[in-house]
Amino acid sequence: MKKVLLVDDDVDFCEATKLLLDSKGYDVVLAHDGKAGLEKVRAEKPDLVILDVMMPEMNGYDVCVVLKADADLKKIPVVLLTAVDQAFFKTTYTRAMGLMTEADDYIAKPVEPGELVKRVEDLLSKK
Amino acid sequence: MLIQPSINILVVENDITILQRCRELLLDEGHNVRTAECIEEALDIIQKHPGDVDIMLLSLELPGWAHMTLIETLQKARREILIMTMSANCGEEAIEAMHAGAYDCIRKTFTADRFRIKINRAIEAFRLRRQLDLLTRQRQAEFTRVRQDANLYAILQSFSDALVVTDWQTNIVLFNPAAASLFDLTEETALAHPVSVSIKSDELLSFFIRAIKSDSSLAMLMADEEPVVKVGNKNLRVYVFSVKNEGGTVIGAVALFHDVTKVSAMDKLRDDFLSMVSHELKAPLSSLLMQISVILDGLAGDLSPKQTDLLGKAKEKTKGMITLVNDILDYRRIQEGKSIQKIESLDLAKILQRTVELMRLSAEEKGIKMTCEIAEGLPSFNGDRGGLEVIFVNLISNAIKYTQQGGHVNVSLNKAGKDIRFKVVDTGIGIPPEDIDRVFEKFYRIKTDETRSISGSGLGLSIVKGIVEAHNSTIFMESPPGQGTTFIVSLPVEE
């Protein structure tokens, strides 16, 4: 069973998304802020990380940077998930653009459940 | 009636036939004519008889000379001489010469009448310029007195907008303190010098040149939306007017610079606010969509048919809200010309394929047959990925929205001449003929009994149009009554 770590501070979103991914046969682990997310990656060694961008403690970009700089962890595919609009604070966006090349995929919130499942499947089959 | 002194004209031409013809025509008109067959000879005449050359008729096809440098040098050294150029076809080189300071160009294949008209206009300009020079000199001499008693001057001085006045050669003749501090102008360095010396902006310079050179009326000039130019860290809205004498001849230009830096800052603030709000709206909406979806899929327990029905409607409304939030943001972006984020080489077939896959589900849910035909081996297209996706999604989702159960939506992509053509054909309710002209207007929605239950922001098509235009592409639609609607987007492929 493939293990998926979902890091998002929106607990409701996490709950519903866990139900969705559970039903597709994934083992879903949750974390609700960036720091906790990073610890969970180290502890659980998931097959895929879905990472919200706007989070307390540590934002998604920073978590992604740390993951991709870690020799042991950088092979784990990371999907950035965000409702941040591209026009939102240009500097943030410029950084995001740079990191998008480091992250393996990028999904704009809100996302259709079917679309989310498909992206997850695609990334895991690529691995 | 003023007796006009006769005009001294120097004709410089190496083609003897043309030289003679010019000479005869000018003598017939009663002018004093000198001729030169090469530029050395012409320069010699100018040197030996200062003040004896008013207008110089200069061929642009003299061998062995860089004409533009020559014109520029002459204009600097002997500003009082008005240079008319002659060339075989008055093409690029004539325009360049005019930029360098020449007044106009005469085609060498002239008729006697045409020649006379051109020469008379040049003489008129020469006289005006001489007058203007005189006035400028007088103005400089009487500067102090003028400063004291001219109310107009006082008004200009206290004007908070920067103001710069030039003569017809874009030499500065007047500026106010606001302009002085904005562009660092001083009387010594700026007055009587070309604008280009003090204001280092080709964009600004082009406005002055346009105001002076164009014969267009003020209204025509301002028909372009007022340009906003960045000078240093200031955003300036520029208004340029041509100044005409009583005879209607352009004798100079006035430019007004209005500082809109603060307005721009407000715009930025509003945008940041909008983006922030959109994030605060999108985050809960995405939870809502996910929650409703998993319940509908039965992942949180079995549902009765009625519950499924109601939740299905709730999901549609949620998706409507999401589209609305996205549309508002897209629309802002397009208004600001940010619709193109990044141009890259795109495989449109692949992008469309994926879009259709995503949309197929909602077509099937509505009982609409969706077909897709994509031609093989299409060339790649240089465009913005996000923008193209928006075009595809909006046009296809519109077709699905406005087509009833049992209908058909066909999407196709193929090559048509040099363009890639994207086409969406539906068998839907169509667009009433009286509404066809308005469908691309923002917030415009067709209101009939059939459309009442369909939700939308009325921004979708104006967004599509904005993106299409940003890609130098065209969008076309037709909707013959009772036969559904067709949208065609033609995307030009660069060679």
Side-chain angles (χ1 to χ4, degrees), chain B residues 77-123:
Chain B
R78 302 294 291 270
R79 211 181 144 258
E80 69 279 5
I81 299 177
L82 185 134
I83 299 175
M84 277 290 269
T85 59
M86 283 197 291
S87 86
N89 49 15
C90 287
E92 284 299 317
E93 78 290 352
I95 308 280
E96 227 179 296
M98 280 162 81
H99 276 288
Y103 172 70
D104 200 350
C105 181
I106 299 181
R107 213 180 279 271
K108 283 187 182 172
T109 53
F110 55 74
T111 61
D113 272 344
R114 179 117 190 98
F115 184 80
R116 270 193 286 271
I117 290 170
K118 286 265 188 181
I119 287 295
N120 285 338
R121 263 176 39 193
I123 292 170

Side-chain angles (χ1 to χ4, degrees), chain B residues 93-361:
Chain B
E93 78 290 352
I95 308 280
E96 227 179 296
M98 280 162 81
H99 276 288
Y103 172 70
D104 200 350
C105 181
I106 299 181
R107 213 180 279 271
K108 283 187 182 172
T109 53
F110 55 74
T111 61
D113 272 344
R114 179 117 190 98
F115 184 80
R116 270 193 286 271
I117 290 170
K118 286 265 188 181
I119 287 295
N120 285 338
R121 263 176 39 193
I123 292 170
E124 167 80 352
F126 168 76
R127 289 195 168 126
L128 284 169
R129 185 161 127 189
R130 180 161 278 189
Q131 252 171 359
L132 194 73
D133 280 351
L134 194 68
L135 286 173
T136 312
R137 276 201 296 278
Q138 279 175 357
R139 199 194 59 79
Q140 278 164 343
E142 294 180 318
F143 204 69
T144 328
R145 195 177 63 78
V146 169
R147 197 195 294 258
Q148 282 162 357
D149 65 5
N151 284 336
L152 186 64
Y153 193 76
I155 293 169
L156 294 183
Q157 291 286 301
S158 51
F159 220 59
S160 66
D161 286 354
L163 182 111
V164 177
V165 184
T166 74
D167 65 10
W168 74 277
Q169 284 190 307
T170 73
N171 292 316
I172 295 178
V173 292
L174 183 72
F175 59 86
N176 69 352
S181 70
L182 185 63
F183 299 117
D184 272 331
L185 305 182
T186 63
E187 280 173 23
E188 296 76 48
T189 58
L191 270 189
H193 291 292
V195 174
S196 53
V197 173
S198 329
I199 301 176
K200 302 266 179 241
S201 160
D202 288 336
E203 202 180 359
L204 284 178
L205 196 61
S206 76
F207 295 139
F208 280 99
I209 292 171
R210 261 168 55 200
I212 294 164
K213 300 274 168 175
S214 71
D215 286 322
S216 60
S217 65
L218 171 69
M220 288 276 288
L221 188 69
M222 302 313 287
D224 290 85
E225 76 253 46
E226 292 112 24
V228 174
V229 175
K230 220 170 159 58
V231 176
N233 54 2
K234 285 201 164 79
N235 292 318
L236 303 171
R237 176 151 287 148
V238 187
Y239 305 86
V240 183
F241 314 93
S242 42
V243 179
K244 292 179 180 175
N245 67 2
E246 284 170 356
T249 308
V250 176
I251 53 168
V254 178
L256 204 60
F257 304 89
H258 183 62
D259 190 342
V260 291
T261 313
K262 275 190 186 140
V263 182
S264 305
M266 286 297 288
D267 283 351
K268 167 92 174 60
L269 205 64
R270 184 192 54 203
D271 290 348
D272 289 349
F273 173 74
L274 261 175
S275 306
M276 187 76 101
V277 168
S278 85
H279 177 257
E280 297 310 309
L281 287 172
K282 274 190 195 171
L285 280 171
S286 59
S287 289
L288 211 51
L289 180 67
M290 194 57 81
Q291 288 161 331
I292 296 174
S293 299
V294 294
I295 300 174
L296 264 176
D297 287 351
L299 300 179
D302 292 337
L303 288 176
S304 73
K306 190 67 204 167
Q307 285 169 332
T308 305
D309 177 43
L310 286 174
L311 269 177
K313 286 172 182 161
K315 184 177 174 184
E316 278 315 303
K317 282 276 187 293
T318 309
K319 281 161 80 174
M321 285 282 291
I322 292 167
T323 311
L324 183 66
V325 174
N326 283 334
D327 278 359
I328 291 170
L329 288 168
D330 282 346
Y331 189 72
R332 284 270 340 135
R333 250 204 300 282
I334 284 153
Q335 266 197 324
E336 287 169 7
K338 283 185 199 154
S339 58
I340 291 188
Q341 302 274 354
K342 187 177 152 204
I343 297 287
E344 55 189 329
S345 176
L346 302 174
D347 180 354
L348 293 186
K350 214 165 146 191
I351 297 175
L352 181 61
Q353 192 77 53
R354 201 169 148 260
T355 312
V356 169
E357 266 171 44
L358 285 173
M359 312 290 295
R360 193 180 295 281
L361 196 67

